[in-house]
Amino acid sequence: MARPRTFDRDHVLHAAERQFRESGYNGTSVDDISAATGLGRGSLYAAFDGKHGVLMQAMAGYFDRLGNVPAKVLAGPDDGALERLHGYLLRAVHGVPLADDVPPASDRTAAACFAGKMALEIGASDAEVQRIAAECFSVLVMAVAECVRGAQRNGDIDPDADAEDLAYLLLTLIRGTDVVGAYGHDPARLTQIAESAFALLPRVSRR
């Protein structure tokens, strides 16, 4: 009896994520996923129960990464919180980086937030996609809001401002940057958007 084929599950899911980013869910076939991951159709169905199963596990992996990467980027001492927020906004100019073992996205559209991209395409008709996308956004809100609180404690941002409201504002602008980037605007324009978003933060007047 043939032994089941072994494979690097994380690498397969990262490659599938990249395919979904580039072609969308509806534009990606099982054969596309097979070509991107190197797994045959039979192996994909056996391991992931088809295209939707691959998507769900790829989104779950994306959620796990969000629980680590933004928190590390935004965490630190209060006296550097404002600059970390600034850097986070500027990084959005280049989109969301893929996993370390997956080549960079071929264009700015494919570098948009994976959860956001899937929510826009099929979230209205797929409750599970919508749920995971909402959880991904909540993780980002918590990380950004905590960094805002650090800047407030350091006297850089108005302490009376609602940190969570500011986090929603900044993340909404970042997701808007994804859309403007998808329209083909160059990094200089996207950088202006990021700088404008940073300037919207309510500062503490220093005399």
Side-chain angles (χ1 to χ4, degrees), residues 89-171:
L89 286 167
L90 291 176
R91 273 189 287 273
V93 168
H94 304 290
V96 178
L98 303 181
D100 292 340
D101 62 345
V102 178
S106 58
D107 58 51
R108 185 59 180 72
T109 304
C113 172
F114 180 44
K117 189 179 181 76
M118 292 300 101
L120 284 171
E121 183 181 359
I122 60 174
S125 60
D126 192 316
E128 189 66 5
V129 168
Q130 192 170 51
R131 180 188 66 79
I132 296 176
E135 290 177 353
C136 287
F137 192 77
S138 294
V139 166
L140 292 174
V141 168
M142 287 189 291
V144 174
E146 185 52 40
C147 193
V148 169
R149 292 186 189 100
Q152 288 175 314
R153 289 190 295 267
N154 196 58
D156 294 313
I157 292 179
D158 183 354
D160 293 328
D162 187 290
E164 192 168 297
D165 284 350
L166 291 180
Y168 270 95
L169 172 64
L170 293 176
L171 288 169

Side-chain angles (χ1 to χ4, degrees), residues 36-37 51 68 72 86 122 125 129 134 154 162 199 206:
T37 63
K51 183 172 83 165
N68 295 315
K72 287 181 180 178
H86 189 208
I122 60 174
S125 60
V129 168
N154 196 58
D162 187 290
R206 300 182 184 276

Side-chain angles (χ1 to χ4, degrees), residues 30-54:
V30 174
D31 286 337
D32 291 330
I33 299 172
S34 180
T37 63
L39 282 183
R41 290 173 61 93
S43 296
L44 284 170
Y45 277 99
F48 301 103
D49 195 25
K51 183 172 83 165
H52 191 264
V54 174

